[in-house]
């Protein structure tokens, strides 16, 4: 056999294997229809866009963040777009107990049937109106921690079929996306800030995962962890933020190994994002970064596709994340140089803390 054939045959084998693998894994929006999904950090940015995509696909959605007024708008929009149900819980992820509370909400309420269960009240002292009082329901549906269902199903209560009767609260997908505010500039030595950011960006992710695991094991569901290029390679001016994102990689990649050893069929998708055009990111970095941000709605859809296909890692955009990372093992200093060259350096170190 000639040398060319020796190379060509394995190469063709690889191409065929790649083609087969890709053809098998085609995303269809139906994959997420009726799925019960928590999206954290969904009051703005990429999380908000993920909620809207999920709504169009007909998922049951529980969104969370701190700002109640924004969450109300997100829930309202989700219902307009076709969500099977949408509700919110507001609070801060600085508090581990709140992170666990959000998961318990999913346990008791996501995808409950029949739809006459219009609203669940979670604030102490909150008055739950009766199902026969449309005005009170409409008002209360906007309250803290409330559930809002599609208007079409609001006032009707069809008898549940036996299959529906078996539906209970539960969880198919946990999307961990929220991020605490940090500063943009040289590391200032503030250890307390690093600790606080670790609590929001890392420990709350661990707490939610731990609480959600029994439900995810039952549904053979998915965990989606939204990270960053800054969690794969050192980035200047975001030292505390980068540290929290590296921690996510360490925790969730190790957990994935243990799931495999224990035959736990829960997928973990780590999302490595480049610069995205969310308000916060543009406000903090547009002046100093020499690249155009990618659109947040497209980014959100790519994350959901990767999650539905149970990918281990998702890179968006591929050209500004996966490709440079190929240099990490063979030319680390070149990669460091490329990262630094993204910045207009004179402006960066003195840049003020982002306002939120
Ligand atoms: P964003 O627009 O600032 O949204 C952050 C979300 O987190 C908001 O909903 C915010 O809502 C919530 N949040 C902030 N502090 C919180 C707290 N203490 N407790 C609970 N929720 C809190 O951010 P984004 O740009 O969409 O980023 C989303 C994810 O993508 C993050 O994990 C980020 O690291 C990652 N990422 C983004 C970029 C980018 O360029 N945009 C690049 C790489 C990676 P409230 O203020 O109402 O609480």
């Amino acid at each position: 056999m000639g040398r060319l054939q020796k190379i060509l045959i394995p190469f063709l084998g690889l191409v065929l294997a790649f083609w087969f693998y890709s053809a098998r894994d085609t995303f269809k929006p139906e994959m997420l229809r009726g799925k019960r999904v928590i999206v954290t950090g969904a009051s703005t940015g990429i999380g908000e866009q993920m909620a809207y995509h999920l709504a169009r696909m007909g998922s049951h959605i529980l969104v969370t963040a701190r700002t109640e007024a924004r969450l109300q708008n997100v829930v309202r929009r989700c219902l307009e777009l076709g969500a099977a149900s949408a509700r919110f819980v507001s609070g801060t992820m600085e508090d581990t107990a709140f992170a666990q509370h959000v998961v318990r909400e999913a346990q008791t309420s996501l995808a409950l049937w029949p739809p006459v269960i219009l609203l669940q009240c979670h604030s102490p002292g909150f008055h739950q109106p009766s199902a026969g009082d449309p005005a009170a329901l409409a008002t209360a549906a906007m309250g803290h921690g409330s559930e809002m269902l599609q208007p079409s199903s609001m006032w009707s209560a069809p008898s549940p079929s036996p299959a529906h009767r078996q539906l209970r609260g539960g969880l198919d997908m946990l999307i961990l996306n929220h991020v605490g505010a940090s500063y943009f500039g040289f590391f200032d030595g503030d250890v307390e800030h690093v600790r606080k950011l670790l609590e929001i960006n890392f420990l709350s992710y661990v707490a939610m995962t731990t609480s959600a695991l029994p439900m995810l094991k039952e549904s053979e569901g998915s965990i989606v962890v939204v990270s960053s290029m800054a969690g794969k390679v050192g980035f200047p001016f975001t030292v505390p933020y980068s540290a929290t994102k590296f921690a996510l990689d360490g925790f969730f990649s190790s957990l994935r190994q243990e799931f495999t050893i224990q035959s736990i069929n829960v997928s973990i998708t780590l999302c490595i994002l480049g610069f995205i055009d969310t308000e916060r990111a543009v406000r903090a970095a547009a002046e100093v970064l020499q690249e155009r941000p990618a659109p947040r709605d497209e980014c959100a859809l790519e994350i959901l596709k990767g999650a539905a296909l149970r990918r281990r890692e998702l890179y968006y955009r591929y050209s500004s994340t996966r490709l440079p990372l190929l240099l990490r093992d063979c030319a680390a200093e070149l990669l460091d140089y490329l990262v630094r060259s993204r910045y207009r350096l004179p402006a960066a170190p003195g840049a003020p803390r982002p306002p939120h």
Side-chain angles (χ1 to χ4, degrees), residues 41 43 46 66-67 92-93 177 179 241 245 274 276 278 280:
S43 63
I46 300 163
R66 290 169 305 176
T67 318
T92 177
M93 290 290 175
N177 166 76
V179 61
Y241 170 80
K245 294 298 189 185
I276 313 296
T278 63
R280 174 193 63 87

Side-chain angles (χ1 to χ4, degrees), residues 3 28 49 67 93 130 147-148 166 198 234 251 279-280 287 318 327 331 333 338 344-345:
R3 185 176 282 179
K28 295 188 188 72
Q49 297 303 316
T67 318
M93 290 290 175
S130 76
E147 176 183 33
M148 297 167 75
Q166 283 161 19
L198 275 166
F251 180 83
E279 235 175 79
R280 174 193 63 87
E287 296 275 292
Y318 203 82
L327 293 172
E333 287 182 2
L338 290 175
R344 293 185 188 97
L345 277 178

